[in-house]
Amino acid sequence: MSQTHIDTPSTRFLTAHGISYTVHDYEYVSDPGKIGIQAAAGIGIDQEKVFKTLMVEIDKKQIVCAVIPVHQKMNLKKVAALFGGKNARMLNAEKAEALTGFQVGGISPFGARTQVPVVFENAALKQDVMYINGGGRGIVIGLDPQQAIASVQGQTADLTVEAA
């Protein structure tokens, strides 16, 4: 696990906010739906500590960023309801990349080109350190969940599909 200095909009954002973090890189593999799981394996961290960043569009007018554990699925209805909407859907890759300035597979809630509301799955608060995309493919940053949430004026909520 290397601790190299990696410069991304996310690391610059966290540094500017005085938040300490660790950087971990791994072999990025583009396998939709599996990227986060591979990131967890690549840095040797338990899946429940590793979070993925999903860009969601609510009622075709509001865009929000949802942060959930990599091994869980997002409940779009819960996300829509949280922001007073009826329907939510994943933002397409092109729109997500244009809005955030990050490549899909490297989207981070920190330092995006356009700041949108960020909501973290409640599970983030159960971790002493959460690991999340660091603003580039194959880059994960580890940081304190409370600081992560505060830095983007985020909120926490129940966002995931209940395990069957």
Side-chain angles (χ1 to χ4, degrees):
M1 181 153 34
S2 61
Q3 289 289 329
T4 48
H5 178 72
I6 296 177
D7 185 49
T8 70
S10 301
T11 59
R12 288 193 294 274
F13 173 90
L14 293 169
T15 301
H17 284 77
I19 295 171
S20 62
Y21 58 89
T22 55
V23 176
H24 311 270
D25 53 10
Y26 67 95
E27 193 69 39
Y28 175 82
V29 181
S30 178
D31 186 356
K34 296 273 193 300
I35 294 167
I37 305 272
Q38 286 167 340
I43 62 172
I45 303 284
D46 291 343
Q47 290 179 8
E48 57 270 10
K49 295 182 186 297
V50 183
F51 290 75
K52 57 187 170 186
T53 306
L54 304 170
M55 300 303 292
V56 182
E57 188 173 38
I58 298 168
D59 293 345
K60 296 190 178 159
K61 58 178 189 280
Q62 184 179 17
I63 297 181
V64 302
C65 174
V67 178
I68 69 169
V70 294
H71 63 292
Q72 293 188 301
K73 286 196 175 0
M74 182 167 50
N75 182 325
L76 288 164
K77 288 252 180 276
K78 287 180 185 173
V79 177
L82 196 61
F83 291 93
K86 290 188 173 31
N87 295 297
R89 59 183 188 155
M90 293 293 292
L91 198 60
N92 73 41
E94 205 172 294
K95 269 191 187 166
E97 291 182 349
L99 184 76
T100 63
F102 298 123
Q103 289 181 298
V104 165
I107 292 178
S108 172
F110 314 111
R113 185 180 290 153
T114 309
Q115 187 63 60
V116 299
V118 183
V119 59
F120 291 77
E121 166 58 39
N122 287 330
L125 294 171
K126 298 190 182 107
Q127 309 303 331
D128 31 348
V129 176
M130 70 181 295
Y131 295 85
I132 192 164
N133 199 287
R137 291 177 172 170
I139 302 166
V140 173
I141 45 182
L143 73 169
D144 175 279
Q146 304 276 8
Q147 290 187 326
I149 294 162
S151 74
V152 291
Q153 287 90 53
Q155 56 178 309
T156 57
D158 172 17
L159 303 175
T160 53
V161 174
E162 295 303 317

